[in-house]
Amino acid sequence: MSQVFYSKDHEWVVLGDDGLATIGITDHAQNALGDIVFVELPEPGRNVAAGEPCAVVESVKAASDVYAPLTGTVAETNQAIIDEPALVNSAAESGGWFFKLRLADAAAVSSLLDRAGYDEFLSTLA
Amino acid sequence: MSAADLLGVVLQKTPLDALHRRLGARMVEFAGYEMPLQYAGIMAEHNACRASAALFDVSHMGQVEIADAARFERLVPGDILGLKPGRQRYTLLLNEAGGIIDDLMVANLGPHLQLVLNAGRKEIDVAHIRGHGLNVVTHFDRALLAVQGPKAVDVLPEGAGLKFMDAAELQIAGIPCVVTRSGYTGEDGFEIGCPGTSGEALAELLLARGAVPAGLGARDSLRLEAGLCLYGNDIGEQTSPVAAGLNFALSKKRLAAGHFIGSAAVNAALAEGTPQKLVGIRLDGRAPARAHAEIRVGGELVGEVTSGCFAPSLNAPIALGYVRADLAEPGALLDLIVRDKPLPGVVTALPFIPHNYVR
């Protein structure tokens, strides 16, 4: 199984064999957001910089930005969460992925956290 | 830590605080109180209220007593002297300009009137009322619980004898309560005031009888679907009740007599109309427009959203907002600007879903 990396903005990243990075929000993030009712995803072909807001999730009550955890070009988006936003709640770290990036620099994943590092980061949040 | 903690603001707790934490509530700051935003989730709690019965802690709202109905009537546009014992009415504290200081419930309990004031306005209201020579007895330490939903009467059979907007002092499991058949969800239901020290026992009883705990998140989506204004969002000191569509709270008799603060301005607004009106808006698609989103027609700015959410019962986004009066008719097409993009919406008669009161 591929290693999963995490950002402090609560995104997860998996590097696939096809060289694309699949990106979604963490289970912690979906739980904090609550019932997700709408997702807006970036257009394929868009170039995004690490830290740039590039997707939006709306819960019943509020809108939240999703940030690009790494720099790259959007290669693919997940139509399933457009059709069924609740999938982000039920399968945040699997079928509820957001988009795939062709990374500008695959080595940049080393700037992200591993699971233990992310768990430690979560434990610092009130 | 919350922002309020960092600012050194000490948040108040309701008498049900320990219960919320036992039930796993996600707590948030609201009007100076730590309040439950949600327990199981806003959607589930919302649906429980529409299908069965939900229990809300609204102890942050201000319960006060006043005895002098004649003098109180001078501060509001409603018929207070005509409010019979055992009845409740929605009314408004107005300023001289006809703006809304607060919206509130007033119940005639016989020897005195009971008011239920918005949490964020209660201190201002009490000062305003006292400033006009009335004696106000505050009971801010009391608990106030709302049981709302089509099965509310199964949860509170003691209240079965009440009809919509009735009020009575009842014993519930030996706890002395003030019960009104009313609420803020559009559903049948009750609001139950009791001594703060009995609040948790009463809440536990209502939960044991099948009510589902629900937080402020569901309360907001429920009231918005029901087309009910939220003070601070949809109405405020700059808002005319005529612009807000609250004409039902304006007594014809009292308007004609004119003996209340703000009467001249309210009568003028009724005669001349207001430049803007509050409307319900249904949006195409699934993206909600939130408070402060611009409303445009053909690119021209014509208004602003004051409340918006995704409506679980409609499976669609809805909003309340003020628009230019000529656009306030159902069917008018509007663009709501969200993230710099126009989302098409249509002015829709309120409420968004029918009220389900037991009259």
Side-chain angles (χ1 to χ4, degrees):
Chain A
M1 192 182 151
S2 313
Q3 193 184 348
V4 187
F5 299 90
Y6 299 88
S7 77
K8 289 187 176 179
D9 292 321
H10 307 286
E11 287 97 23
W12 57 263
V13 179
V14 171
L15 285 181
D17 297 336
D18 52 5
L20 298 180
T22 303
I23 287 153
I25 66 169
T26 64
D27 195 58
H28 170 87
Q30 71 74 21
N31 184 53
L33 291 167
D35 299 307
I36 291 166
V37 296
F38 173 80
V39 182
E40 191 174 285
L41 296 173
E43 288 294 319
R46 177 173 153 190
N47 294 316
V48 294
E52 180 180 332
C54 61
V56 175
V57 288
E58 298 259 11
S59 66
V60 175
K61 217 175 154 46
S64 306
D65 285 321
V66 175
Y67 303 91
L70 297 165
T71 298
T73 305
V74 177
E76 196 181 327
T77 59
N78 186 5
Q79 183 65 31
I81 63 169
I82 301 287
D83 297 338
E84 191 193 343
L87 193 58
V88 179
N89 291 118
S90 60
E93 299 193 22
S94 54
W97 61 276
F98 275 52
F99 53 88
K100 296 187 182 187
L101 279 187
R102 187 167 299 285
L103 298 180
D105 171 16
V109 293
S110 63
S111 65
L112 299 173
L113 302 168
D114 62 9
R115 183 75 226 185
Y118 181 62
D119 285 342
E120 194 184 326
F121 171 66
L122 288 182
S123 71
T124 66
L125 304 177
Chain B
M1 280 181 100
S2 71
D5 290 332
L6 294 170
L7 292 169
V9 177
V10 178
L11 295 178
Q12 301 188 70
K13 298 176 191 306
T14 77
L16 302 190
D17 189 76
L19 177 64
H20 298 318
R21 289 167 202 279
R22 278 209 304 286
L23 293 171
R26 185 173 300 163
M27 305 296 284
V28 293
E29 186 277 336
F30 181 80
Y33 283 79
E34 281 189 80
M35 297 297 293
L37 174 67
Q38 62 171 67
Y39 306 82
I42 293 174
M43 202 81 91
E45 294 162 27
H46 179 110
N47 292 336
C49 182
R50 291 276 181 249
S52 140
L55 176 69
F56 301 86
D57 176 14
V58 288
S59 306
H60 57 318
M61 300 188 79
Q63 299 171 71
V64 310
E65 284 174 22
I66 55 176
D68 192 339
R71 203 175 268 209
F72 178 67
E73 205 180 54
R74 298 291 183 94
L75 309 184
V76 301
D79 183 359
I80 302 303
L81 290 174
L83 183 66
K84 293 187 172 65
R87 290 291 291 165
Q88 177 174 251
R89 177 162 286 161
Y90 173 83
T91 196
L92 306 164
L93 288 169
L94 298 180
N95 59 32
E96 288 289 353
I100 303 171
I101 296 170
D102 200 3
D103 65 334
L104 63 142
M105 287 290 196
V106 51
N108 183 346
L109 297 180
H112 60 260
L113 301 176
Q114 176 193 265
L115 314 183
V116 178
L117 309 169
N118 279 307
R121 302 296 292 177
K122 60 189 181 185
E123 303 288 355
I124 290 164
D125 296 345
V126 167
H128 171 73
I129 297 167
R130 286 179 176 155
H132 288 85
L134 281 94
N135 189 31
V136 180
V137 182
T138 61
H139 295 290
F140 292 166
D141 57 348
R142 277 171 72 82
L144 187 65
L145 306 183
V147 180
Q148 300 280 297
K151 295 186 177 166
V153 74
D154 298 335
V155 173
L156 196 76
E158 293 90 341
L162 304 177
K163 297 257 187 272
F164 182 60
M165 295 299 253
D166 280 350
E169 294 181 78
L170 299 175
Q171 297 275 327
I172 298 167
I175 301 167
C177 298
V178 174
V179 181
T180 63
R181 195 154 192 172
S182 60
Y184 192 48
T185 62
E187 297 297 328
D188 182 26
F190 302 93
E191 292 193 342
I192 312 156
C194 75
T197 49
S198 301
E200 188 170 322
L202 180 62
E204 293 273 24
L205 175 72
L206 300 171
L207 293 172
R209 289 175 175 180
V212 173
L216 292 182
R219 188 168 160 83
D220 192 53
S221 55
L222 289 158
R223 70 92 192 168
L224 198 40
E225 287 184 349
L228 302 172
C229 288
L230 173 62
Y231 194 93
N233 273 45
D234 310 308
I235 52 176
E237 292 201 14
Q238 309 299 320
T239 315
S240 163
V242 178
L246 299 175
N247 299 35
F248 68 93
L250 309 173
S251 156
K252 288 201 170 63
K253 188 175 89 181
R254 307 274 339 277
L255 287 167
H259 294 142
F260 63 89
I261 294 173
S263 59
V266 172
N267 274 315
L270 282 168
E272 296 157 21
T274 57
Q276 298 237 310
K277 283 190 163 177
L278 187 69
V279 294
I281 303 162
R282 268 190 85 146
L283 284 81
D284 292 353
R286 289 182 64 87
R290 311 288 181 176
H292 310 302
E294 290 180 351
I295 303 175
R296 291 180 178 270
V297 171
E300 185 189 351
L301 186 65
V302 296
E304 186 180 287
V305 171
T306 50
S307 291
C309 77
F310 188 85
S313 303
L314 297 167
N315 196 32
I318 57 172
L320 292 176
Y322 285 90
V323 296
R324 218 172 56 202
D326 62 295
L327 297 166
E329 290 304 314
L333 300 177
L334 309 169
D335 287 329
L336 284 65
I337 311 302
V338 176
R339 294 182 283 277
D340 300 324
K341 281 180 289 199
L343 303 182
V346 57
V347 174
T348 304
L350 296 173
F352 292 103
I353 68 152
H355 292 160
N356 191 21
Y357 302 141
V358 175
R359 293 183 192 274

